[in-house]
Amino acid sequence: MGDHFEKGQRALLNEGEENEMEIFGYRTHGCRKTLCLAGSIFSFGILPLVFYWRPAWHVWANCVPCSLQEADIVLLRTTDEFQTYSRKKVMWIYLSALNSVYGLTHDHPLITDEEYIINRAIRKPDLKVRCIKVQKIRYVWDNLEGQFQKIGSLEDWLTSAKIHLKFGSGLTREEQDIRRLICGPNTIDVEITPIWKLLIKEVLNPFYIFQLFSVCLWFSEDYKEYAFAIIIMSVISIALTVYDLREQSVKLHRLVESHNSITVSVCGRKTGVQELESQFLVPGDLLILTGNKVQMPCDAILIDGSCVVDEGMLTGESIPVTKMPLPKMDSSVPWKIQSEADCKRHVLFCGTEVIQAKAASSGAVKAVVLQTGFNTAKGDLVRSILYPKPMNFKLYRDAIRFLLCLVGTATIGMIYTLCVYVHSREPLVEVVKKALDVITIAVPPALPAALTTGIIYAQRRLKKKGIFCISPQRINVCGQLNLVCFDKTGTLTRDGLDLWGVVPCGRNGFQEVHSFASGRALPWSPLCAAMASCHSLILLEGTIQGDPLDLKMFEATTWEMDISGDDFHIKGVPAHAMVVKPCKTASQQVPVEGIAILHQFPFSSALQRMTVIVQEMGGDRLAFMKGAPERVASFCQPETVPTSFVSELQIYTTQGFRVIALAYKKLETDHHNTALMRDKVESDLIFLGLLILENRLKEETKPVLEELISARIRTVMITGDNLETAITVARKSGMVSESQKVILIEANETTGSSSASISWKLVEEKKHIGYGNQDNYINIKEEVPDNDKEGSYHFALSGKSFQVINQHFSNLLPKILINGTIFARMSPGQKSSLVEEFQKLDYFVGMCGDGANDCGALKMAHVGISLSEQEASVASPFTSKTPNIECVPHLIKEGRAALVTSFCMFKYMALYSMIQYVGVLLLYWETNSLSNYQFLFQDLAITTLIGVTMNLNGAYPKLVPFRPAGRLISPPLLLSVILNVLLSLAMHIVGFILVQRQPWYSVEMHSACSVKNESLSKLTIPSTAPEKPGNIGAFTSFENTTIWFLGTINCIIVAFIFSKGKPFRQPTYTNYMFVLVLIIQLGVCLFILFADIPELYRRLDLLCTPVLWRVYVVIMLSSNFIVSLIVEEAIIENRALWMVIKRCFGYQSKSQYRIWQRALANDPSWPPLSQTSYSDMPGCGRGVSYSNPVFESNEEQL
């Protein structure tokens, strides 16, 4: 249902975005509503419960489809693979309240201007707005476009000129009030969910409803003890879940509450500057930023003045970022596109802290409110926590199927029970009870609690290792990881950079390296001036703060920083400008008194450079640039760039150094610095030299990567750094071994007449003598001998190339990703996109980063591990306290152990329920059953204790080169359950039939013990007419006694057999609690079997049997144990056997990456070395992937 809709009845919400949804229009139907109400009453509340679980059914039952324009109810469906439904009521916002205040009519000029969504949403003449609220975001009905549109932010089409013109002097009071009413308050309101709400939500879980049904049934049968035990377990489980959810709710509330109560200064068009509570802000308001250390209550575009902001909350990096005002341009291009690649440098984000606000000549720092509430950057982060992306993990889908199989089995049992008991003319109430009993036996109510304990234990073990988890269900997913992406800086390498030296550039090319280790000061030159002034450092309360790289560079010059006072008078230099001066000892050698920094074009990872305009005191006006060497060189006059630039750069990048280039030019002093366009300043520069910084690997990096690679887990590097540096770090860290080749992929955009191109070059490692020692450097070969095509390859490419391949060579992308290991110069968006592309190839992707630019990728990955404890990392499911990658193998090991534990638990619970089911159905044949105390002994003393202790095995310390099965419905697991069920069935039937054929067996006899056990005979009740069920002795029979002993001890046997140890968990004998429990349980059972204690037998409704028969019982159980153990060890756990079976049947993995690897693994034309392809070439890129042997796993998911 819900798919056959006419035009206007369905639409897309947030088209092309991550949270895209389909929206369907419905109108409430009175007759249908009445019928549903009647159904709810007559079904005793079951129908509303079903509607609660299935919102779409609720809408389909109560409503009829209609156009979205007329709808009073909308049904939303996500467009991802989960197709989750949700139901929302259409609400009305009335503007009539503003009538009396402003005399607002439908032809008021404020409302007739239909350029803005807000005005188009107002229905005339009754002045009201239709809206819906989805995941905390408000959408209003656009009467002109005929669709629901997001409200709470400025329109994307606005140009910079329009923003300055329309909002530069603020909004009028009327505009503010209209916007406030329609957009809603500017709050990121995460209410602390009341405990009763959490409780109801948890209790209405289908499994707890089933438990409630089971408990009611047991109470009616006087089976109180286990009913109370299940109630206690469920209460504890619900209490723990509710406590956990409540804690998360409180934590999230505290995270955002400070943002909701900030007082800000707002400039109105007619009212001037006023103090206002931040919750009353609306998009378009003009904020006046004064003072330092101001928390931003919304996203705002800076239009006047500049700011230094701490964006740690969003990026995880507490490095001051300089924000520049949006220039006023006459272009008709939207402001976001106009700002080149990085519009973020004009935006002050919600939740960040303005450390310093610097006014321009007009005297105030002004910003226009861009987005409010949950539309802001912080709101988006909070929403990603409130509404996490659902997990597509086969285990959970299989668990539902597994339960449905048990329900199916129970149904067969119910039919059998009805037939047997009706045929025996039993009372109807008893027949119904017995039939319902079968359901509670076949579907174990303790299953959720047993599965939860395994994850709780794993979570506790992770906590001891300093790894914190906000999404415990993802621990199981960790066990399936087969590809882990790593950020480089701060993750694989150390955080801090050490300045190694500078390579100045003269007329004759590069000069000798100036090493800072020697202690010699850098002589005065434009290079020294660039190092002293080309940075975004700030002076805050007497201390210099900023990017660690800038800090190291500035410290190396030994200059000092100051802020000019009011008495500072130099032409063109404003008061309170940043001034850098040489220290007193060096001032004699320096011809300038100091350098004043007039203007900054701040660094952006998209542009890979930053530029400053400075004024030498008593000297020239200059522009300095620093950034990625290739980018800086492209802005320089070609004759100033040394011919040896590429080779010199490679010398350092191949040794893993971080290289930054510097350049400068003289400017005309009569230009006002703010009038200078960036593209005019950044042209015809003179190349100054290279700055060499050392970024060492963390000690833990190499052994961890080696451990992952030896376990056949792919490792991939995604970094924002230089490509050559990344290749070297990959080699040094062991990500690329010495014997493996690296192929550099370069893709270029369409330019003029030529279409997009892609070229493949082999990166060869050669020895190069330089600076007194042997260093490696990279040489890009054009000609490749044939024998180089053998062996394994890794692809290395830049973010730019990745973007071009994604757009123009999408058919090549999967083939490249199969071997892509090094991705450099990647923007945060590209990192997320890459993770998503890996997931499309059916990889289980882990992402480990320090939270800086990795937030999106950490959220996108199946398992995100943040090494930062900043607020930004809350979006990541896992956070490690130890800031190195050692947490990755720990997490994978625990994930594998938790996954295997889940399987063990499922298997055990299935067997336990089937053993009871088989036993009870056999006894039903004789219209008998197990007594309450017999059930209680099996359920509580055996299964509950096993369920609690079986999960205690820790993770195995070594990562093996294969993963546990990721599916419940896999051949080995199903075969294990089926064979064990058949063995148990055979044993029970043999016991049932054999006991009836014993010479001492008699239906009327209630003891078969020898004369010595006469006392027992006297205690047993003599056989009379059939007794009413429930009376003492109603269950006693030889069949009952035999079946109970066989079933009870069999539960202990299968627990031992299913408790897996190596290779994913610690051996069973290390789980002392579990072993102790099994020994005690087995001891008690054998004691009951062989001890002739009349009172005990009477309590348990057992009959005394001859010793020989008891020995037979032990022999049957021993045979079952031996056969079961042999089957489990020789067949089920025999990987070699399953590999042979798979080869015999020609089974091949259906995972996309496996299909690509197999497609034409031996194709001699792949990879295409030393050639260039163009996007317009026919059949371009139609090849198959080359498979990388180091990651080729000879195992497959069974």
Side-chain angles (χ1 to χ4, degrees), residues 162-409:
K162 189 89 177 169
I163 289 170
H164 279 273
L165 179 73
K166 169 82 179 164
F167 307 109
S169 51
L171 298 172
T172 62
R173 181 75 60 83
E174 295 98 311
E175 283 175 312
Q176 282 177 330
D177 284 348
I178 292 169
R179 283 172 180 252
R180 207 167 285 148
L181 209 55
I182 296 172
C183 298
N186 171 41
T187 54
I188 298 175
D189 197 17
V190 181
E191 64 279 354
I192 298 174
T193 318
I195 289 172
W196 65 269
K197 256 191 190 176
L198 292 170
L199 207 57
I200 288 170
K201 196 177 176 184
E202 192 63 23
V203 167
L204 292 181
N205 183 309
F207 223 97
Y208 286 123
I209 298 294
F210 173 66
Q211 281 190 342
L212 181 67
F213 158 76
S214 304
V215 165
C216 292
L217 182 66
W218 293 333
F219 272 120
S220 75
E221 294 179 332
D222 211 29
Y223 185 36
K224 295 192 191 81
E225 294 83 353
Y226 190 56
F228 278 125
I230 284 288
I231 288 169
I232 290 163
M233 284 200 312
S234 298
V235 165
I236 291 168
S237 177
I238 289 169
L240 284 171
T241 310
V242 167
Y243 173 77
D244 202 33
L245 290 169
R246 174 81 175 181
E247 282 292 288
Q248 280 189 33
S249 182
V250 169
K251 195 188 282 183
L252 203 53
H253 176 76
R254 284 182 185 150
L255 182 79
V256 298
E257 69 176 339
S258 58
H259 147 277
N260 295 328
S261 52
I262 301 167
T263 306
V264 288
S265 300
V266 176
C267 180
R269 186 164 292 178
K270 293 170 184 171
T271 52
V273 179
Q274 287 182 319
E275 295 286 300
L276 198 69
E277 282 261 333
S278 61
Q279 64 176 23
F280 297 117
L281 287 174
V282 292
D285 263 335
L286 186 66
L287 286 179
I288 306 295
L289 299 171
T290 51
N292 298 336
K293 302 240 172 175
V294 179
Q295 283 277 338
M296 281 302 294
C298 58
D299 288 357
I301 311 169
L302 195 62
I303 60 164
D304 207 347
S306 65
C307 289
V308 177
V309 184
D310 178 1
E311 291 188 345
M313 192 287 298
L314 288 178
T315 63
E317 244 180 345
S318 288
I319 291 170
V321 179
T322 306
K323 300 285 182 176
M324 306 309 292
L326 180 73
K328 190 174 179 179
M329 288 174 162
D330 293 331
S331 163
S332 59
V333 180
W335 72 275
K336 284 184 181 177
I337 298 165
Q338 169 204 302
S339 308
E340 283 185 300
D342 200 13
C343 58
K344 289 180 182 175
R345 62 203 166 106
H346 307 305
V347 181
L348 305 169
F349 292 105
C350 175
T352 60
E353 187 180 43
V354 178
I355 303 171
Q356 210 173 60
K358 260 193 209 168
S361 48
S362 61
V365 179
K366 296 176 187 173
V368 173
V369 175
L370 174 66
Q371 289 171 149
T372 56
F374 280 95
N375 294 289
T376 62
K378 184 167 183 175
D380 198 41
L381 182 69
V382 173
R383 283 195 321 119
S384 70
I385 301 161
L386 287 172
Y387 308 102
K389 188 181 162 193
M391 269 187 305
N392 181 16
F393 193 36
K394 293 183 181 112
L395 174 68
Y396 303 118
R397 287 211 307 269
D398 288 353
I400 304 296
R401 288 175 191 163
F402 170 80
L403 288 173
L404 289 174
C405 289
L406 292 181
V407 170
T409 313

Side-chain angles (χ1 to χ4, degrees), residues 819-840:
N819 286 72
T821 301
I822 301 151
F823 296 85
R825 294 279 186 237
M826 297 286 278
S827 69
Q830 287 168 343
K831 287 183 181 184
S832 303
S833 176
L834 178 63
V835 167
E836 195 175 7
E837 290 298 332
F838 275 128
Q839 287 172 332
K840 285 178 190 171

Side-chain angles (χ1 to χ4, degrees), residues 810-982:
S810 54
N811 53 340
L812 285 177
L813 190 61
K815 307 171 194 176
I816 291 166
L817 295 184
I818 295 296
N819 286 72
T821 301
I822 301 151
F823 296 85
R825 294 279 186 237
M826 297 286 278
S827 69
Q830 287 168 343
K831 287 183 181 184
S832 303
S833 176
L834 178 63
V835 167
E836 195 175 7
E837 290 298 332
F838 275 128
Q839 287 172 332
K840 285 178 190 171
L841 289 174
D842 294 333
Y843 280 111
F844 275 89
V845 184
M847 173 74 201
C848 182
D850 58 0
N853 295 313
D854 313 317
C855 272
L858 288 169
K859 277 195 286 180
M860 183 63 71
H862 290 109
V863 176
I865 312 152
S866 171
L867 304 183
S868 158
E869 288 188 66
Q870 286 276 355
E871 279 181 34
S873 69
V874 290
S876 172
F878 298 94
T879 307
S880 172
K881 267 200 163 179
T882 47
N884 61 56
I885 63 168
E886 270 182 339
C887 58
V888 176
H890 284 320
L891 204 51
I892 295 171
K893 287 170 197 168
E894 283 298 346
R896 287 179 173 188
L899 194 55
V900 171
T901 300
S902 294
F903 289 145
C904 292
M905 215 59 239
F906 265 113
K907 280 168 73 175
Y908 176 70
M909 285 310 221
L911 254 292
Y912 141 70
S913 59
M914 285 299 110
I915 288 166
Q916 251 190 18
Y917 176 79
V918 165
V920 168
L921 291 193
L922 281 171
L923 290 173
Y924 277 2
W925 187 255
E926 298 287 331
T927 61
N928 196 348
S929 183
L930 296 176
S931 73
N932 284 355
Y933 280 111
Q934 287 173 336
F935 271 127
L936 188 66
F937 190 89
Q938 282 187 356
D939 292 340
L940 204 58
I942 304 292
T943 307
T944 306
L945 286 176
I946 285 170
V948 170
T949 57
M950 193 183 193
N951 300 330
L952 284 167
N953 291 41
Y956 193 63
K958 187 178 183 299
L959 269 181
V960 288
F962 52 90
R963 298 174 292 160
R967 304 198 60 174
L968 260 178
I969 302 169
S970 61
L973 208 135
L974 284 178
L975 191 67
S976 173
V977 171
I978 291 163
L979 287 176
N980 276 285
V981 168
L982 290 175

